[in-house]
């Protein structure tokens, strides 16, 4: 890896349990070892980072959702602060492009497409690579339940079932079906951006092989 300036590496997944957090830690570690200044934005950080305070406040106000404009402006502020601080590489876990949240909050494809276009403008001139980890949803969900336990299954199904855009989810089977539709939407929408998208089939790779594949295919890293 060689240091780069102004590169956001957004790791997202088609399902829970595909290894986003593990890969983010590996990318951040290797980038730092190369001499780059790195900010690792973990998934839970959206509730505590100053740039995303408006997001956390809106989510907690009782509606359980966030206005797309708030997501865009918080992302703009985060990237601008990072640039001003001299951060070379931003490694984000499930941050950009927010498609699962936007779907759950009931937004249709045309609205989500507009949000992605607004996000593209918000992060310029920072270069963006979206690493999209993909696996069969049934397999990934079973893996997540094995790792987190049965309480996680209840929490996940309830979370989706209680959201306006995902009320069809009643159990793991319907959750997997929802995730398949969401993957089709994600692939279609990301193809319309000018971001570099690296799609990785993790069903055929363990964590080490996934990291190696990503390292070999990330531009300038």
């Amino acid at each position: 890896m060689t240091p780069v300036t102004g590169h956001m590496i957004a790791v997202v997944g088609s399902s829970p349990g595909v290894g986003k957090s593990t890969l983010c830690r590996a990318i951040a570690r290797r980038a730092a070892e190369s001499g780059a200044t790195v900010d690792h934005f973990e998934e839970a950080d959206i509730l505590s980072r100053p740039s995303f305070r408006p997001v956390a406040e809106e989510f907690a106000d009782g509606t359980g959702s966030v206005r797309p404009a708030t997501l865009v402006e918080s992302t703009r502020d985060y990237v601008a602060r990072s640039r001003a601080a001299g951060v070379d590489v931003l490694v984000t876990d499930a941050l950009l492009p927010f498609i699962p949240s936007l779907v759950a909050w009931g937004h249709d494809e045309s609205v989500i497409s507009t949000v992605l276009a607004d996000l593209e403008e918000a992060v310029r001139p920072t270069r963006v690579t979206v690493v999209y980890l993909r696996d069969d949803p049934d397999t990934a969900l079973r893996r997540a339940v094995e790792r987190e336990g049965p309480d996680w299954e209840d929490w996940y199904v309830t979370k989706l079932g209680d959201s306006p855009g995902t009320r069809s989810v009643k159990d793991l089977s319907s959750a997997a079906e929802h995730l398949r539709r969401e993957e089709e939407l994600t692939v279609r929408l990301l193809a319309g951006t000018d971001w570099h998208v690296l799609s990785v089939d993790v069903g055929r790779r363990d964590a080490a092989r996934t990291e190696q594949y990503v390292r070999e295919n990330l531009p300038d890293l």
Side-chain angles (χ1 to χ4, degrees), residues 40-63:
H40 178 190
F41 193 117
E42 299 186 47
E43 188 168 4
D45 288 351
I46 198 167
L47 297 176
S48 59
R49 292 291 187 107
S51 294
F52 284 86
R53 184 172 296 115
V55 170
E57 290 173 350
E58 280 190 24
F59 188 78
D61 71 0
T63 63

Side-chain angles (χ1 to χ4, degrees), residues 60-168:
D61 71 0
T63 63
S65 64
V66 177
R67 292 182 303 115
T70 305
L71 289 176
V72 172
E73 291 310 309
S74 290
T75 303
R76 187 194 309 276
D77 186 72
Y78 166 60
V79 172
R81 286 176 185 244
S82 299
R83 190 181 303 122
V87 178
D88 300 314
V89 180
L90 312 177
V91 181
T92 69
D93 183 345
L95 191 67
L96 207 70
F98 304 109
I99 291 175
S101 294
L102 292 166
V103 168
W105 295 333
H107 297 293
D108 62 21
E109 182 169 347
S110 63
V111 171
I112 299 173
S113 179
T114 299
V115 174
L116 262 64
D118 291 343
L119 285 168
E120 285 187 86
E121 291 302 318
V123 301
R124 296 188 198 279
T126 296
R127 189 155 46 92
V128 174
T129 295
V130 179
V131 181
Y132 188 37
L133 304 183
R134 303 169 71 179
D135 197 3
D136 171 68
D138 291 297
T139 302
L141 288 173
R142 285 196 302 270
R143 185 188 306 120
V145 172
E146 290 171 0
R147 184 186 65 208
E148 303 293 341
D151 288 344
W152 180 89
E153 178 180 345
D154 293 339
W155 168 82
Y156 183 69
V157 169
T158 300
K159 180 187 76 164
L160 291 179
D162 286 348
S163 298
T166 51
R167 287 201 173 117
S168 62

